[in-house]
């Protein structure tokens, strides 16, 4: 899943990304000329200097490895993005570099969703759908707060070469997960591990949608759970 030839990726090769957190990874990419270009619920995106690649930096998203697994199982499938780099970051975050994609038109996204629901695609599309259903079943059996497949408008994209591409088609039940943080955050650390949840409160959605009081409540609950599990 790595390209050793793209000049925008080559400066990173050989780096121990497991020792780098999401904040430092973001700063390093900006210093290398990558430009922030998008903010989702779980991650931020940057575009490469030449414009061909996008980096997704996430402090915490247990569902994203399932999407990477889908890409691994369907190599070369035109409905999935080319992935140049996929690395875990310190504390449970991730850095993924893939081909740059733009939003699909609303009508196209709706048509893709219909084909997905009805199983009415071409051979390559159906292969992605079948594999995604299998990955969903596997992850549902072992991932707490799993919410399954999510083919919303934002997850249907357009590649530079004109292909329709699907991204981030799996999701967590974030409302239940963060509700559990407030109720008893020690449970979250026990079920997802302390190492994988170190930056759980740094996702963009919390910064964008929460009041100061809500942020402080989450942080207080998280600290309380750490005291219980330490």
């Amino acid at each position: 899943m790595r390209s050793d030839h793209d000049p925008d990726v080559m400066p990173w090769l050989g780096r121990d990304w497991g020792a780098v957190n999401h904040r430092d990874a973001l700063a390093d990419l900006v210093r290398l000329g990558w430009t922030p270009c998008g903010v989702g619920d779980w991650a931020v995106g940057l575009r490469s200097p030449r414009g061909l690649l996008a980096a997704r930096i996430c402090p915490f998203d247990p569902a994203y490895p399932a999407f990477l697994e889908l890409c691994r199982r369907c190599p070369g499938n035109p409905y999935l993005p080319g992935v140049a780099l996929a690395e875990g970051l310190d504390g449970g975050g991730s850095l993924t570099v893939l081909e740059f994609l733009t939003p699909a038109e609303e009508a196209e996204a709706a048509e893709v969703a219909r084909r997905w629901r009805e199983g009415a695609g071409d051979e390559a599309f159906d292969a992605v759908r079948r594999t995604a259903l299998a990955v969903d079943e596997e992850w549902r059996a072992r991932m707490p707060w799993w919410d399954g497949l999510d083919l919303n408008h934002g997850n249907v994209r357009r590649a530079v070469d004109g292909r329709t591409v699907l991204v981030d088609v799996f999701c967590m039940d974030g409302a239940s997960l963060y509700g559990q943080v407030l109720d008893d955050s020690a449970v979250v650390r026990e079920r997802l591990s302390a190492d994988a949840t170190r930056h759980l409160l740094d996702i963009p959605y919390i910064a964008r949608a929460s009041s100061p009081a809500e942020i402080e409540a989450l942080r207080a609950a998280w600290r309380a759970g750490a005291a219980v599990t330490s």
Side-chain angles (χ1 to χ4, degrees):
M1 302 183 74
R2 169 174 289 179
S3 170
D4 293 338
H5 305 295
D6 192 293
D8 288 336
V9 175
M10 288 178 65
W12 310 352
L13 300 182
R15 181 167 186 182
D16 179 12
W17 287 103
V20 178
N21 65 34
H22 62 286
R23 299 185 191 95
D24 291 336
L26 177 60
D28 288 350
L29 266 64
V30 169
R31 281 193 291 264
L32 287 168
W34 291 62
T35 304
C37 61
V39 179
D41 288 346
W42 300 83
V44 297
L46 302 94
R47 192 170 186 179
S48 66
R50 297 195 305 148
L52 297 175
L53 300 173
R56 180 187 190 272
I57 297 179
C58 180
F60 169 76
D61 183 358
Y64 198 69
F67 176 66
L68 293 177
E69 178 62 24
L70 173 63
C71 293
R72 291 187 187 97
R73 295 189 190 183
C74 299
N77 191 294
Y79 289 101
L80 293 173
V83 180
L85 192 74
E87 298 283 354
L89 300 175
D90 178 64
S94 61
L95 165 64
T96 308
V97 179
L98 57 160
E99 61 182 307
F100 181 78
L101 305 167
T102 58
E105 295 292 334
E106 185 173 352
E108 178 187 7
E111 174 62 15
V112 168
R114 182 195 66 78
R115 290 165 57 197
W116 185 277
R117 290 193 305 270
E118 298 176 2
D122 58 28
E123 183 177 351
F125 187 87
D126 288 344
V128 172
R129 183 177 179 275
R130 287 194 306 273
T131 307
L133 290 170
V135 172
D136 174 51
E137 183 177 1
E138 294 167 17
W139 282 67
R140 186 178 300 277
R142 67 173 186 261
M143 176 59 70
W145 300 287
W146 184 253
D147 203 27
L149 286 159
D150 177 25
L151 196 63
N152 63 51
H153 180 189
N155 294 344
V156 181
R157 314 289 285 184
R158 175 71 65 180
V160 173
D161 62 10
R163 296 172 7 256
T164 297
V165 179
L166 308 180
V167 296
D168 302 354
V169 296
F170 303 106
C171 63
M172 300 290 290
D173 184 351
S176 294
L177 192 159
Y178 285 92
Q180 182 61 61
V181 170
L182 291 170
D183 290 341
D184 184 354
S185 65
V187 173
V188 177
R189 283 187 175 86
E190 290 168 1
R191 299 189 71 185
L192 294 178
S193 90
D195 286 343
T197 56
R198 197 177 312 151
H199 305 297
L200 174 146
L201 300 184
D202 289 354
I203 65 169
Y205 180 83
I206 292 176
R208 181 175 64 247
S210 302
S211 69
E214 290 168 334
I215 291 173
E216 178 52 34
L218 283 166
R219 296 196 180 282
W222 195 242
R223 290 192 297 267
V228 171
T229 56
S230 61

